[in-house]
Amino acid sequence: MGVPRMIQGQFGSISYDTGVIPAGQIAPVTPSVSFNENLGNYQGVRRHNDQFYIRATGTPLEISALNFMTYDYVDLRDLLEEKACMDDVVINIQRTNELPYPDFTYNIGPGNIEETFLVVLGDYNLEQPAGTPGVAGFNVAGCSRAGFIPLFDPTGNDSQGGLPFEVLYREVRQYVQDPSQNFTSPNQVGSFAGPGGNNITPTRLVGNYRMVSRTVGGYPDLLVGPGITIIRQWTVFPANRSFAQADGGATGAHPDAPADELTNLSMRLQLNIPALQYNIVGTQRPLTATETATYYSNILMKS
């Protein structure tokens, strides 16, 4: 006889900032990312269960500052002890806001801002920094492909996250700057060329983002121990201005050249990321012999 069971948790609000990228420069100089826990701040939320995954750099950001993630782990060893599972699982996500807010963002290059929210079976040892000796790093940039490729592979044998049934829930969102909410200098906003720039090129202030794609997948059928890992991962492609540097290579009287925004203007990208809550509801019941063999040979033995 099954009994109802619910798992709840909350992911906090996050502030991401490339810092000012001077004219002519491609990559962020002083990027930062932190929890927005001040209740006086826009979207600030103090209570949350997640924490940052620490990279080999000793910070949540890798060198290019494009990828970062937070995670939460729910210990379900009681299911192991009782040889039980949660069946007929339903996963619900509630956000304080649908979109991240650009705050003070201007002159950003082409590209998507991508968010992936994952609920996966197993323990990925994410409390161990990526550079810890003997610990293979988690594939942060690969989160959107969970269930198709392994995310954590310390054995080199497609260890964790690569099987479809390991992924209970996968939601991938893509955001872009909303062109209807862009404002330009000199008539609408001031110029942000910076000390090494030239205000001959109009500054473009981003007033809002918009969502252009949302894909949901996963197999929320059966939840087993020893636990579940919940991940919220972000890739901020416009934080790097490589696309603005690219040109077609034409020469002669009318040569191709990098974008005037890159040559003449500074750039900055900020994200105020809203908090969210997850609710996982199911019926706890004993595992069958077949389920025990299938799940624990693929989940427990690899965690």
Side-chain angles (χ1 to χ4, degrees):
M1 183 68 181
V3 295
R5 181 167 180 175
M6 180 169 64
I7 300 169
Q8 292 181 309
Q10 182 164 301
F11 275 59
S13 174
I14 293 174
S15 297
Y16 170 87
D17 188 356
T18 61
V20 176
I21 303 176
Q25 186 160 323
I26 295 172
V29 182
T30 55
S32 63
V33 64
S34 60
F35 284 111
N36 179 13
E37 297 176 329
N38 188 334
L39 299 184
N41 293 343
Y42 180 65
Q43 296 185 350
V45 171
R46 184 174 299 155
R47 178 176 60 85
H48 58 89
N49 303 104
D50 59 328
Q51 58 184 301
F52 280 105
Y53 174 64
I54 303 302
R55 311 299 294 264
T57 57
T59 73
L61 292 169
E62 91 287 23
I63 294 175
S64 67
L66 298 185
N67 298 288
F68 61 92
M69 76 178 205
T70 64
Y71 69 94
D72 183 22
Y73 178 70
V74 180
D75 191 331
L76 296 172
R77 283 177 291 181
D78 62 298
L79 294 179
L80 290 179
E81 296 169 359
E82 299 175 21
K83 297 182 179 180
C85 67
M86 284 177 63
D87 199 359
D88 300 323
V89 173
V90 175
I91 299 175
N92 173 258
I93 311 298
Q94 298 188 35
R95 300 166 182 261
T96 57
N97 296 77
E98 197 67 22
L99 301 172
Y101 183 67
D103 203 3
F104 193 42
T105 296
Y106 52 87
N107 301 327
I108 64 174
N112 295 329
I113 297 168
E114 298 188 357
E115 173 193 4
T116 300
F117 188 77
L118 280 178
V119 182
V120 289
L121 296 172
D123 184 357
Y124 286 70
N125 298 309
L126 296 179
E127 71 280 0
Q128 299 292 332
T132 302
V135 176
F138 183 85
N139 185 1
V140 176
C143 281
S144 62
R145 291 171 285 164
F148 294 88
I149 65 169
L151 298 180
F152 186 64
D153 197 11
T155 66
N157 193 30
D158 287 353
S159 190
Q160 285 180 272
L163 298 176
F165 67 81
E166 292 182 76
V167 182
L168 297 177
Y169 183 84
R170 181 184 60 249
E171 179 182 0
V172 182
R173 291 170 163 230
Q174 294 179 325
Y175 309 99
V176 297
Q177 53 186 315
D178 186 343
S180 70
Q181 296 294 307
N182 280 350
F183 305 93
T184 58
S185 66
N187 296 326
Q188 295 172 307
V189 296
S191 178
F192 294 101
N198 189 326
N199 67 4
I200 190 173
T201 301
T203 286
R204 176 172 44 86
L205 183 74
V206 179
N208 212 344
Y209 297 117
R210 70 179 180 185
M211 184 167 61
V212 294
S213 174
R214 177 177 180 263
T215 304
V216 177
Y219 297 85
D221 179 41
L222 208 64
L223 193 160
V224 299
I228 54 174
T229 302
I230 303 99
I231 294 166
R232 194 181 191 188
Q233 182 264 340
W234 291 81
T235 300
V236 190
F237 287 111
N240 186 293
R241 297 207 276 183
S242 296
F243 283 117
Q245 184 186 42
D247 64 64
T251 59
H254 304 286
D256 287 331
D260 287 343
E261 283 190 358
L262 171 62
T263 303
N264 297 322
L265 302 178
S266 64
M267 176 203 130
R268 187 172 191 175
L269 189 154
Q270 292 186 319
L271 283 177
N272 277 340
I273 296 171
L276 65 75
Q277 295 175 339
Y278 65 85
N279 300 277
I280 303 172
V281 181
T283 302
Q284 184 169 325
R285 64 163 177 81
L287 281 165
T288 67
T290 301
E291 290 167 343
T292 301
T294 301
Y295 277 83
Y296 285 127
S297 62
N298 287 287
I299 304 298
L300 179 61
M301 300 304 293
K302 296 191 296 184
S303 293

